[in-house]
Every structure is written in structure tokens, then in C-alpha cells.
Amino acid sequence: MYPFFELPSFTSGMLIALIASFHILPSHLATGAFWFTVSVERDAIRRNRPELLDFLKKYTLFILLFCFVFGSLTGVGIWFSSTVASPRGISGLIHNYVWGWATEWVFFIIEIVTIYTYYYTFGKIGSRTHLRIGWIYAWAAWISMIIITGILSFMLSSGKWIETGGFFDGFFNRTYWPQLFMRTGLMFGIAGLYAIIVASRLDNLDVRKWITRKAAIWGIGGMAAAGFFCAWYLFSLPEAAKALLFEGTLPYLKKLGTVAIGSLAIVTTSFIIFGFMSPWRVNTVTGTILVLVLFAGIGAAEGIREGIRRPYVIDNYLYSNQIVAHDLPAKKVTAETVRFRTDGFLKNLFFVPDQIKDDPGSHPVEAGRIVILFQCGNCHALERGGIIRPLPALISRLGMNSPEELADYLLALESYPFMPPFVGTDEDRLAAGAYLASLVR
């Protein structure tokens, strides 16, 4: 096990969630925007409307600044926060999909080269050559999405990979295609929304109306497609994930679903009313509010995706607390749960003082804090005023306050379908009970 990255009160899991949710806006804009861009540029060429190029320059500059500054920063932020918070999860993904990521980075480099070339060659090269550069960017960006979706969906539904360990057996899993098409629809919706914001700053009223109405059509189509393929995605979920989402096992997931659906409905309706029917009414403030509404919906959807994956960070392989859950003969990996229950959890941690490792009973509260931190700290705050699922509040609701009661309760964790089981010897468990009791004294 690696050292634990502790983020008091907030939890490392929430840090990743916030960065990842925001990253969807620039990353999906970067993926979808150039399909809209080349469509407008093609219209400008065919209809001989050079005035549309003014919008394209501003739109491309916006993509450059927003996607390749904030998008790049949050992309690095996801890698950094995920690596320190879930190093074994990242290790598992890299060991299986390093060539997938390498391929994705090749297309990302193509994106960087082509968007700079596209922006700085406006009016300096032939119009059709310029348009071809735009098409290269659009396809490269979408191919990046094709690749990264396989890795992300693998974490929720690992498919036959559990049996074979094969790259494509995990990549083309049951949720891959609906998730790819859902994200494709969403990228057109986000692209349409940002196009409306940029168009609202144009001085030419006719161009502004034309762009706004065209962007609204893209937005309506994208959001409708995202909603349709979201239904397919939900239908394709593993049975355990469906139970968590639809049977009320985790009630907060339904609330997040309401937020996500409400956000989709508000943005789609706004596309129809303000974008398509009365494009002159849209301004920067309206567009920014809709972006915030969309961000709330994306955050809720990401919360659902993370919630229904519980108790795993990689489906049927690695628990959310970094412990290998099951044997994986195809990769010559054995479950750690059995070994930790036999040898002891603390004894398998490298960065623990020998006195605590060899005799947890000599310092039960401190030993228990280490056990609880590793096995619960990714998803639960340990502080009384913690923001995310604080353990003191949960224990208070249980009405238990003795170390023995709480140690016995840890044995019941495996009866909860969304919780990793407690793993360790009786000494580990009694120490954990002593620490949990100290939280409510």
C-alpha cells in the first residue's frame, strides 16, 4: 500500500470529483466545438459570407484560451489528484491501458498543433485548406473521446476483462457505446451553448442572430441525443449499479438524478425559447447562467457515475480503499482481502511505526486511526465537522459508543452492497473500534 493522502474534512474523493466535473466543460467543448466551427466556415465559403469569419476567430480564440489553458490545467489536476488519492487505481489503469493513453496523447498533440495552425492562418492560406485543418482537429478530438471513454467505462463495467485480462475485453464493455454516444451528444450541446455566448458579443446583429439560431439547433440536437443515449446507458448498467441507483439503496443518487435531468431540461428549453425562437434575447449573462446550470447537471451526473461504481474504483477488481478485492488469474493477481485477514492489515503497511505495527493493542487509538484512515478515509471525513460523510455523525446516529460495539459493527460492513468489507485481524478491528469510539466521546 502507498502512503495515504489525507485531505481533512473534504476528503480526496471530493477533490477529484470537483476537478473532474469542471474538466468536462473544457474537454467536451474542445471535442465538439470544431464540428460546429467547420460547419460555420463551410457555410461562409459556400454562401460567400466573409462576415461569419469574425465569429469564427473569436470562437476559436475562446476555445484556445478556455480549453487549452483551463482544460489543460484541470486535466493535469485530475492526474495529480487521482495519483495521490488513488495510486493503485491509477496503477491498475496504466498497467492495462498504457497504449490506449499513449494513442490518445498522439491525437491530443494533433489537436494542439492543428488548433494553433487554424487560428493563426485565418486569411493567410486558401479557404479550403484552412477548412481541412479544421476537419483534422475535429476528427482528432473525437477520436480522443473514443479512446478515453473506453477507459472510463471500464472502471464501471469491466466486462470479460475479469476472466481474460484482455485490453479490448475491458475496453468494449457493456456501457461503452451508450456512454460514447451520450458524451458525443453532450459535446454538441456544450459547443452550441458556448457559441451562443460568443455570438452575443458580436456587433453585427444579423450574424449574431444567424449564429445563435444555428448554435441553438446544434444544442437542441445534442441535448436530445444525450438524453436518448443516457436512457440506453442506464439500461446497460450492471445489475448491482442499477440496484444502487433505482432501488433506493443510496437515496442521494436519485436526488442527483433529479438535478441532472432538471439541468438537461432547463438548458434544452432555453435553447428552444431563447436560442431558436428569439435569438435577439440571448446575452452573455443569460449564456453564463446556463453554463452554471449545465455545470450543476454535469456535477450531479458525475456524482451518479461515481456512486453506482461503489464499492469499487475498478469494477470487480479494486475496492475504493485501494485493496485488491478478488483474484485475477489472467493477470496473476491474488486478492488481498484473505491475506490481510490472516496476516493483519497494519503489518502490510510500510509507513507505520514498528511499535504500532507489531502490537496495535499498545496504542489502540493511534493504530485504529491508521486502519480507519486507509480503509475509510477516501470517502469519509474523520472530523466532526467534516463535509463529506463525517464518521462522527454517522457513529452518533448508530447510537454506539463503546470500542467493542463499534468493532463488532465493522464486521457487518460487508452486508452493505456499496461498502468495501473490513479487512484485518481481530487486533486491527479492535483498534479501529477504539478509534471510532474516540470520535464520539
Side-chain angles (χ1 to χ4, degrees):
M1 300 287 281
Y2 292 91
F4 188 85
F5 174 66
E6 184 180 10
L7 198 57
S9 297
F10 202 62
T11 76
S12 56
M14 181 51 66
L15 175 66
I16 299 172
L18 284 178
I19 297 174
S21 296
F22 178 80
H23 182 70
I24 286 180
L25 287 175
S27 65
H28 283 60
L29 174 63
T31 309
F34 257 68
W35 292 90
F36 183 76
T37 301
V38 294
S39 174
V40 173
E41 186 171 16
R42 188 174 56 183
D43 285 339
I45 296 172
R46 287 179 175 176
R47 302 180 185 188
N48 191 25
R49 296 190 62 185
E51 68 273 18
L52 295 177
L53 298 180
D54 182 41
F55 162 78
L56 287 177
K57 287 180 183 176
K58 291 182 177 178
Y59 192 46
T60 306
L61 180 61
F62 181 83
I63 297 166
L64 257 175
L65 294 177
F66 184 65
C67 301
F68 287 86
V69 176
F70 293 102
S72 299
L73 287 173
T74 51
V76 173
I78 291 174
W79 271 103
F80 182 77
S81 59
S82 300
T83 301
V84 296
S86 183
R88 302 182 100 195
I90 290 294
S91 173
L93 294 179
I94 289 176
H95 278 83
N96 283 284
Y97 290 110
V98 66
W99 291 112
W101 259 310
T103 307
E104 194 262 341
W105 289 336
V106 169
F107 284 96
F108 183 59
I109 291 172
I110 295 173
E111 289 177 54
I112 295 173
V113 172
T114 50
I115 192 170
Y116 276 95
T117 306
Y118 183 87
Y119 179 73
Y120 285 103
T121 55
F122 264 112
K124 298 177 182 176
I125 60 176
S127 57
R128 297 198 177 278
T129 301
H130 192 258
L131 182 61
R132 289 189 189 103
I133 295 171
W135 277 116
I136 292 172
Y137 176 95
W139 277 104
W142 193 58
I143 291 173
S144 292
M145 177 182 279
I146 288 174
I147 298 167
I148 207 68
T149 299
I151 301 173
L152 291 176
S153 61
F154 160 78
M155 296 173 72
L156 173 63
S157 49
S158 52
K160 292 183 179 178
W161 175 84
I162 288 295
E163 302 166 13
T164 66
F167 183 104
F168 292 110
D169 286 334
F171 192 92
F172 292 113
N173 58 78
R174 59 192 294 171
T175 62
Y176 173 75
W177 291 109
Q179 187 169 166
L180 174 64
F181 294 136
M182 179 176 67
R183 288 178 179 274
T184 300
L186 182 63
M187 80 181 191
F188 289 134
I190 293 175
L193 184 53
Y194 278 92
I196 287 175
I197 293 175
V198 174
S200 71
R201 308 291 296 175
L202 296 176
D203 296 327
N204 187 321
L205 189 58
D206 288 337
V207 173
R208 177 177 166 183
K209 289 180 183 176
W210 189 85
I211 292 290
T212 301
R213 185 165 280 140
K214 183 180 179 73
I217 293 172
W218 278 65
I220 295 166
M223 289 301 180
F228 175 79
F229 290 114
C230 178
W232 181 18
Y233 173 71
L234 295 175
F235 180 77
S236 304
L237 290 174
E239 294 305 316
K242 287 181 182 175
L244 292 179
L245 181 57
F246 297 120
E247 295 178 8
T249 309
L250 292 173
Y252 80 93
L253 293 179
K254 286 192 174 180
K255 295 178 182 176
L256 291 178
T258 302
V259 173
I261 293 172
S263 168
L264 183 73
I266 290 172
V267 174
T268 305
T269 304
S270 299
F271 273 133
I272 296 171
I273 296 176
F274 299 109
F276 184 75
M277 297 176 66
S278 51
W280 59 88
R281 291 184 177 177
V282 179
N283 55 42
T284 307
V285 175
T286 309
T288 304
I289 291 173
L290 289 176
V291 168
L292 294 176
V293 172
L294 186 61
F295 179 65
I298 289 172
E302 285 294 290
I304 293 172
R305 190 171 67 87
E306 293 296 322
I308 59 179
R309 206 169 61 195
R310 295 168 67 179
Y312 300 102
V313 67
I314 296 178
D315 179 44
N316 277 312
Y317 169 58
L318 192 69
Y319 284 129
S320 54
N321 55 16
Q322 310 284 296
I323 295 172
V324 176
H326 306 291
D327 291 340
L328 187 60
K331 295 286 188 181
K332 299 180 180 178
V333 175
T334 56
E336 292 175 323
T337 48
V338 175
R339 179 160 59 88
F340 288 167
R341 283 173 176 145
T342 304
D343 300 341
F345 182 72
L346 281 168
K347 289 182 179 177
N348 280 280
L349 301 180
F350 296 111
F351 303 96
V352 175
D354 289 339
Q355 191 175 4
I356 291 177
K357 186 182 294 187
D358 296 335
D359 185 13
S362 63
H363 298 77
V365 174
E366 183 57 29
R369 183 180 187 280
I370 296 171
V371 173
I372 292 297
L373 189 62
F374 273 83
Q375 298 206 19
C376 312
N378 273 331
C379 303
H380 291 277
L382 306 189
E383 296 74 21
R384 186 174 293 275
I387 298 173
I388 305 301
R389 307 184 191 97
L391 283 180
L394 292 175
I395 295 169
S396 296
R397 285 204 289 272
L398 290 173
M400 301 177 185
N401 52 26
S402 77
E404 294 77 14
E405 279 182 309
L406 290 163
D408 288 343
Y409 179 72
L410 291 174
L411 292 174
L413 289 182
E414 58 188 309
S415 63
Y416 294 89
F418 50 86
M419 291 287 291
F422 180 84
V423 291
T425 60
D426 287 344
E427 275 189 309
D428 294 326
R429 188 167 54 81
L430 289 170
Y435 172 69
L436 293 175
S438 74
L439 294 178
V440 291
R441 283 176 190 154

